């Protein structure tokens, strides 16, 4: 049988009655922006994540940009992050007027290398660091936070791929000054359209972010800050609230699938590394092979969809090449990974027989 990389229809079908009821409730209410549905979802997501505050915004890119702006970061400032990430991370920095400094990754987890970060900040001061928890594996947050403290930089967690990931019992999004989540449909907690959220434990940062998402209003029609229009609407909030109730079970299913893959594929490809103290959320299951393109073609012939996250790091893309600052030591690990990484199908509704077929196909390469 043909196995797509991802099927969002399965996600809707699993909770159709609950989701349809939520849609009807919102439509019947006659209130579609910044209402009770959003307030309820923000409270529920903050509680689930272990954060004091959640501010729903239009998308994950805006979530990063608004977190930066809430911290007073903008034109003339520099912000460090990785090049091995979705371009949204870097686009969000530039949305504020700040300039990105791109730092190399650790080869095992593909996340920000704390030593490379420290070496880079000694030469290129920044106002903030965005630590991207990639594929569902948290960064080495404690080491990164220590670097930030030494250099006077704020720490923002990019949790777009890390809903439910944990480090030493702490959920991703609870370890920095602020954190940004994406609720894009493919995420572990995905909406039926765009959506995002900012979380923080600081009430002042929360209030500032909430004002910034709606024209800088603290009182309707009166702008205290130069804000934007970036609001998570009532319909998406209601749908996300339904899916949030099932999120822990879905992440558990992802982990079960990953365990099967690990056990069956470890001698065929390089499977994901999971550091001590980490609970991986497996937004993606990324293997590594020196024959990636041939493996991709082999799996395609076997009817199995794959993807590459990401085929070209940000600093090599046409929009950024030659104009963004690179951290000390260059991009050795980032560039080594780009031709070898491959994402296999991974979602909580992946049936056992489909898993068997994927495993057999990889092993037959």
């Amino acid at each position: 049988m043909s196995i797509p990389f991802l099927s969002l229809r399965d996600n809707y079908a699993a909770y159709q009655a609950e989701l349809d009821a939520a849609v009807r409730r919102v439509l019947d209410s006659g209130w579609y922006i910044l209402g009770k549905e959003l307030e309820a979802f923000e409270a529920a997501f903050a509680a689930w994540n272990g954060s004091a505050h959640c501010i729903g915004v239009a998308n994950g890119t805006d979530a990063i940009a608004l977190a930066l702006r809430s911290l007073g970061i903008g034109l003339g400032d520099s912000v460090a992050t990785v090049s091995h990430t979705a371009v949204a991370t870097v686009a969000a920095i530039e949305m504020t007027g700040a300039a990105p400094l791109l730092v190399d990754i650790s080869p095992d987890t593909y996340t920000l290398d704390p030593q490379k970060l420290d070496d880079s900040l000694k030469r290129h001061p920044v106002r903030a660091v965005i630590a991207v928890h990639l594929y569902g594996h948290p960064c080495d947050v404690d080491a990164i936070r220590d670097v930030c403290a030494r250099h006077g930089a704020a720490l923002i967690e990019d949790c777009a791929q890390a809903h439910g990931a944990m480090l030493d019992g702490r959920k991703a999004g609870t370890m920095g000054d602020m954190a940004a989540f994406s609720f894009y449909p493919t995420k572990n907690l995905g909406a039926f359209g765009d959506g995002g959220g900012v979380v923080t434990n600081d009430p002042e940062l929360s209030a500032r972010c909430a004002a910034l998402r709606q024209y800088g209003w603290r009182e309707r029609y009166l702008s205290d800050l130069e804000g934007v229009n970036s609001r998570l609407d009532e319909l998406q909030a209601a749908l996300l609230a339904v899916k949030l109730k099932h999120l822990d079970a879905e992440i558990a299913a992802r982990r079960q699938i990953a365990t099967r893959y690990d056990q069956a594929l470890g001698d065929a490809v390089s499977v994901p590394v999971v550091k001590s103290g980490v609970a991986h959320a497996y937004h993606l299951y990324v293997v590594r092979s020196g024959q990636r393109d041939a493996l991709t073609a082999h799996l395609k012939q076997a009817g199995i969809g794959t993807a590459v996250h990401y085929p070209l790091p940000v600093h090599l893309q046409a929009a950024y090449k030659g104009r963004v600052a690179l951290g000390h030591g260059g991009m050795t690990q980032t560039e080594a990974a780009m031709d070898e990484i491959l994402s296999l199908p991974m979602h909580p509704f992946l049936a056992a027989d489909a898993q068997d077929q994927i495993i057999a196909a990889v092993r037959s390469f």
Side-chain angles (χ1 to χ4, degrees), residues 260 350-357:
R260 282 204 70 198
L350 191 64
D353 56 349
Q355 297 171 40
D356 292 339
Q357 185 175 332

Side-chain angles (χ1 to χ4, degrees), residues 50 56 93 123 126-127 177 205 272 290 295 322 359:
I93 295 171
R123 297 162 172 83
V126 301
R127 288 282 311 283
D177 296 289
L205 290 175
L295 175 58
I359 289 168

Side-chain angles (χ1 to χ4, degrees), residues 47-345:
W48 175 84
N49 194 62
S51 301
H53 308 279
C54 172
I55 305 94
V57 300
N59 54 68
T61 310
D62 282 1
I64 298 171
L66 287 168
L68 287 167
R69 290 196 58 196
S70 297
L71 289 160
I73 293 164
L75 187 65
D77 295 325
S78 292
V79 177
T81 191
V82 289
S83 185
H84 184 63
T85 182
V87 73
T89 310
V90 178
I93 295 171
E94 295 199 327
M95 283 169 60
T96 71
L101 170 68
L102 304 183
V103 179
D104 207 5
I105 56 173
S106 298
D108 47 4
T109 63
Y110 308 107
T111 58
L112 181 60
D113 185 321
Q115 186 59 57
K116 294 285 182 64
L117 176 66
D118 192 33
D119 292 341
S120 299
L121 298 196
K122 291 173 182 175
R123 297 162 172 83
H124 190 135
V126 301
R127 288 282 311 283
V129 172
I130 299 176
V132 182
H133 301 308
L134 202 66
Y135 305 150
H137 192 294
C139 298
D140 187 351
V141 181
D142 293 329
I144 293 169
R145 191 172 56 226
D146 287 346
V147 173
C148 289
R150 284 198 296 275
H151 295 278
L155 175 59
I156 297 172
E157 298 173 69
D158 181 344
C159 301
Q161 300 186 2
H163 310 70
M166 300 183 74
L167 176 63
D168 296 327
R170 300 162 294 170
K171 277 188 175 174
T174 64
M175 295 173 277
D177 296 289
M178 303 185 83
F181 284 86
S182 170
F183 302 128
Y184 186 75
T186 62
K187 304 303 183 183
N188 284 18
L189 180 62
F192 290 78
D194 269 320
V198 180
V199 300
T200 182
N201 289 322
D202 187 316
E204 292 185 7
L205 290 175
S206 175
R208 183 176 174 86
C209 187
L212 286 169
R213 74 172 169 187
Q214 182 166 245
Y215 312 119
W217 293 352
R218 297 191 192 274
E219 182 180 344
R220 192 169 181 82
Y221 303 129
L222 299 176
S223 297
D224 292 343
L225 304 168
E226 295 178 5
V228 298
N229 179 349
S230 182
R231 302 173 296 208
L232 181 65
D233 66 61
E234 290 286 279
L235 190 59
Q236 297 300 342
L239 293 167
L240 285 165
V242 170
K243 296 183 67 178
L244 181 61
K245 294 187 294 184
H246 303 281
L247 183 56
D248 286 333
E250 289 192 5
I251 294 172
R254 290 175 182 271
R255 289 172 177 152
Q256 290 177 348
I257 295 167
T259 297
R260 282 204 70 198
Y261 281 167
D262 288 348
Q263 293 172 347
L265 301 178
D267 60 349
V269 291
S270 294
V271 299
V273 170
V274 181
K275 291 287 192 176
S276 176
V278 165
H280 203 307
Y282 292 105
H283 167 61
L284 296 168
Y285 188 91
V286 179
V287 300
R288 191 161 177 169
S289 169
Q291 298 176 283
R292 191 270 308 281
D293 292 345
L295 175 58
T296 301
H298 172 77
L299 294 176
K300 182 178 180 180
Q301 189 172 18
I304 297 167
T306 59
V308 177
H309 298 87
Y310 297 92
L312 202 62
V314 175
H315 74 281
L316 295 181
Q317 297 189 28
Y320 299 93
K321 189 174 183 179
R323 73 170 187 84
V324 293
L326 302 184
H328 181 69
M331 293 285 144
T332 303
Q333 297 302 331
T334 297
E335 293 180 10
M338 69 181 184
D339 294 326
E340 298 186 352
I341 50 175
L342 183 66
S343 301
L344 300 181

